[in-house]
């Protein structure tokens, strides 16, 4: 691609119509007056390996990747960052000028930047974290919490064996707690993170008793629809500091936008409002 071409980026998924990423990137492109377009692109899984390498020829400088392609793109990419390898999935691709595809995972970055921005005085080293869920989102959260120095993570999941597998992968700072016992360990936690889909619109509510939450603890729900989940509402009633899930979606988009369009965007109330509209 010659440098005079307008850079294109996409979010690749199947389905992809629900993705909020086009709103986020579209807002920033307009705000900063940049040339570029960001579109949703529905690619069927069996066509991914064929189509992905051809996007660069069409003028694409990169892409975000969502379900169900986040693991598969790792097999197609030529270069994979350490953090994507650790998490086992990629959400951000860069189509380099030399034709190679670079895969990164910015979910963990988005997760921790969201907490840092909302609760700047949170110190990861002062106490344990409790993490609900053992899926793909949990991997990104665990890798990041360990990286920033959280001393111990109490991990609980409905299907215990998935949590045990994460302990195997991430080591002894992870301690697996029975799902039905999860309410009993909340009082120890400085940070509580829900990575499950419980509480999301149309999904069951979290049934873990939350009354043990410690006042002052930070409670983060990765669910952002609704914005204020029952977990967050209860946490507020308990005197906790709450961090909603929308900020993670916004912060994880920052590194890709900067790389593709050449400007580091700011996550502020205006972009939140634009995405919620
Ligand atoms: P993601 O990549 O978003 O993390 P996932 O890999 O499908 O998605 O994981 C979803 C998480 O939500 C899992 O921890 C899942 O628990 P299981 O491993 O037991 O399936 C959790 N989850 C989904 N529905 C749940 C429910 N009704 N009760 C408890 N946990 C649930």
């Amino acid at each position: 691609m010659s440098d005079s071409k307008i850079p294109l980026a996409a979010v690749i998924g199947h389905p992809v119509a629900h993705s909020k990423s086009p709103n986020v990137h579209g807002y920033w492109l307009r705000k900063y007056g940049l040339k570029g377009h960001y579109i949703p692109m529905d690619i069927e899984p069996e066509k991914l390996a064929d189509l992905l390498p051809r996007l660069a020829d069409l003028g694409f400088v990169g892409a975000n990747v969502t379900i169900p392609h986040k693991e598969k793109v790792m097999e197609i990419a030529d270069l994979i960052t350490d953090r994507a390898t650790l998490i086992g999935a990629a959400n951000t691709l860069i189509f380099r000028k030399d034709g190679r595809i670079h895969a990164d995972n910015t979910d963990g970055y988005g997760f921790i930047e969201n907490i840092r921005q909302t609760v700047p005085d949170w110190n990861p080293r002062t106490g344990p974290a409790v993490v609900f869920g053992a899926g793909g989102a949990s991997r990104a959260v665990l890798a990041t919490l360990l990286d920033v120095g959280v001393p111990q993570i109490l991990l609980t999941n409905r299907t215990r064996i998935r949590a045990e597998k994460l302990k195997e992968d991430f080591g002894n700072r992870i301690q697996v707690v029975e799902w039905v016992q999860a309410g009993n360990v909340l009082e120890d936690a400085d940070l509580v993170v829900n990575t499950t889909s419980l509480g999301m619109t149309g999904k069951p509510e979290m049934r873990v008793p939350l009354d043990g939450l410690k006042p002052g603890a930070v409670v983060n729900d990765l669910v952002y629809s609704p914005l204020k989940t029952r977990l967050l509402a209860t946490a507020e009633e308990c005197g906790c500091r709450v961090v909603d899930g929308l900020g993670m979606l916004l912060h994880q988009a920052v590194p890709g936008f900067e790389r593709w369009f050449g400007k580091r965007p700011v996550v502020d109330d205006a972009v939140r409002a634009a995405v919620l509209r």
Side-chain angles (χ1 to χ4, degrees), residues 245-263:
L246 183 61
M248 175 172 167
L249 174 85
L250 300 174
H251 282 283
Q252 64 80 31
V254 168
F257 187 92
E258 181 178 24
R259 188 66 191 251
W260 305 323
F261 301 118
K263 165 85 190 167

Side-chain angles (χ1 to χ4, degrees), residues 118-131:
T118 317
V119 194
D121 65 340
W122 173 68
N123 180 352
R125 296 178 188 276
T126 52
V130 172
V131 174

Side-chain angles (χ1 to χ4, degrees), residues 84-234:
T85 302
L86 192 61
I87 294 166
N91 73 334
T92 303
L93 302 178
I94 294 150
F95 303 134
R96 292 164 39 133
K97 290 207 172 100
D98 62 9
R100 292 195 286 180
I101 298 176
H102 183 207
D104 191 9
N105 192 314
T106 65
D107 284 333
Y109 167 85
F111 158 72
I112 205 72
E113 285 303 304
N114 183 31
I115 292 182
R116 284 179 173 149
Q117 188 180 47
T118 317
V119 194
D121 65 340
W122 173 68
N123 180 352
R125 296 178 188 276
T126 52
V130 172
V131 174
F132 291 100
S138 179
R139 285 190 79 90
V141 166
L142 296 180
T144 307
L145 289 180
L146 293 173
D147 189 45
V148 299
V150 170
Q152 189 194 23
I153 301 174
L154 305 166
L155 176 64
T156 186
N157 193 53
R158 175 182 60 179
T159 312
R160 185 182 172 112
I161 195 161
R162 292 185 84 191
E164 298 284 1
K165 172 74 174 71
L166 290 184
K167 180 183 166 69
E168 260 173 48
D169 291 353
F170 287 105
N172 282 337
R173 275 195 279 159
I174 312 258
Q175 189 185 323
V176 176
V177 175
E178 261 315 313
W179 182 247
V180 289
Q181 299 293 331
N184 301 339
V185 295
L186 290 177
E187 61 198 30
D188 297 332
D190 275 5
L191 172 71
V192 176
V193 185
N194 174 39
T195 76
T196 76
S197 49
L198 292 174
M200 194 184 284
T201 307
K203 296 278 164 86
E205 280 293 352
M206 173 95 82
R207 291 194 190 284
V208 176
L210 300 169
D211 44 334
L213 284 169
K214 180 166 76 179
V218 175
V219 179
N220 175 210
D221 204 333
L222 302 199
V223 170
Y224 58 81
S225 177
L227 208 47
K228 187 173 283 183
T229 58
R230 197 161 88 187
L231 169 63
L232 294 186
T234 309

